[in-house]
Amino acid sequence: MSESSGAIIGVDIGTSVTKAVAFDRDGNRLHAAVRRSTLLRAPGGVVEQDLEEVLAGVAQVVTEVTAALPAPPAALALTGQGDGLWLRDAQGRPVRRMISWMDGRAAPLVSRWQRDGTVREVFRHTGSGLFPGCHAPLLAWLSEHEPETLERAAVAGYCVDAVAQRLTGTVSVDASDATLPFLDPATRTYSPAPLAACGVAELARLLPEPAAPRAVLALGREGAALLGLPTGLPVTSGPYDLPACAIGSGVRETGDGLLTVGTTLACQVLTDRTDREPDGEPAGMWLCTPETGRWLRALPAMVGTAGIDWALGMVGASTDDLETLLDKSPAGARGVVALPFLSEAGERAPFVAPEARASFEGMSLAHERADLVRAMCEAVGYAARHCLETAGLSRTLAACGGGTRSEGWMRTFAGILGRPVRVPAETEVGAKGAAVVARAALGDPVDEERWHAGYRLVEPDEAERAGYERGYADYRERVAAARDRWGG
């Protein structure tokens, strides 16, 4: 088995599942495997993961996919969840549980930084907003509550580079992952001012330098033993899942956008500028891409399918009932409106409000459970439009993620956004985007027209457009009034 199969295995290490997909030279899926991950929750908004379990999940899905190939793959392409804080020692062993990007323990600190100007100071230098589950507040929180943990650590990284370190023995972080919150995206170097503003300047020693675009690592002995693959196999690490999904969905021209409808929303627009308005809303980030001089203006919100699942559960329904319930309630939900902010960490895009909370209005005994579910679906749609408008969407829009399986909800998104939405036929666009990057890194770039040819187009219903325009204006007014109450 010394020859390669020519396939590349894309591995997407998500928050709740890890997926591996083998793609051939033309972008066709050969085999896929999935393993669920465990989120370790505790009071106070704590959300953590076990690095060893994550690695075991990677090994399982890669081993399963490799077994279905006629020979070992040509390369392994890693992507996965971003943000959070994945602290390790010099050998890549965890010094504590990995802190998820969903973690909310540092929410009070972010609220204080909003009031005292720290958030805006960071944004002025990097174009990155701050939210509770990113490096800055988590490092500051640990400095106060677990200083001994930071003393044991050698690397303050992210999910993808934590896995890559164990597989290759190399400490390397993709510039996309390193973006939030200390990186100047124009220079791809860390900016000292944000580190100082957050009171963690002395912890800069823990931040790995961003790798050059399309860097290629090699599978080490530990990684080879874990995966059952040859030592020296090429490994690419990043970009992380937001830009990987954009690449895998065919976002190629400036102004093109991607809406990821997952546990949370991720809205991105490709741009050739990193303008940072000092008076603009300090939220989101400019993500470095493998192409120098091109960035993704990313606004990853905290609302998404988790809120729909919650609403379905509250009315005694499941995801299997979503289409039926959407059919039973017309656009506008018969006057029921909602704010969708159910995360314990509040909201992080297109504004940061750790105290943001959800609400329903306009309900009466005449309403049915379908109206409540549709109201939440529409509220998430309005949040997506708010993000995409802020990001500067001007051309085509693609959509991916588990939420795109609902045809009714996708029609709702199209109606609220007032534009067609392109849904790729390949569901695992993160793994596909990682494979596209790996091919280019190995000097064998793909034919992108062929790789992105399969999709369905969801068109807006023109009869619903005026109602959704009024609904969006009302949503923006209710968000503005709520922010006065939240203080964000």
Side-chain angles (χ1 to χ4, degrees), residues 178-234:
T179 297
L180 185 68
F182 302 124
L183 197 76
D184 181 336
T187 64
R188 297 185 180 231
T189 59
Y190 296 114
S191 177
L195 285 154
C198 296
V200 294
E202 75 283 358
L203 299 178
R205 62 180 175 81
L206 300 178
L207 304 178
E209 287 301 314
R214 298 192 179 95
V216 179
L217 308 177
L219 197 64
R221 279 185 290 183
E222 180 183 355
L226 183 67
L227 304 180
L229 290 170
T231 302
L233 182 79

Side-chain angles (χ1 to χ4, degrees), residues 330-333 336 373-383 409 412 416 468:
V336 179
V373 172
R374 173 169 280 281
M376 182 59 75
C377 286
E378 291 181 352
V380 174
Y382 292 135
W409 197 17
T412 300
I416 288 172
Y468 279 136

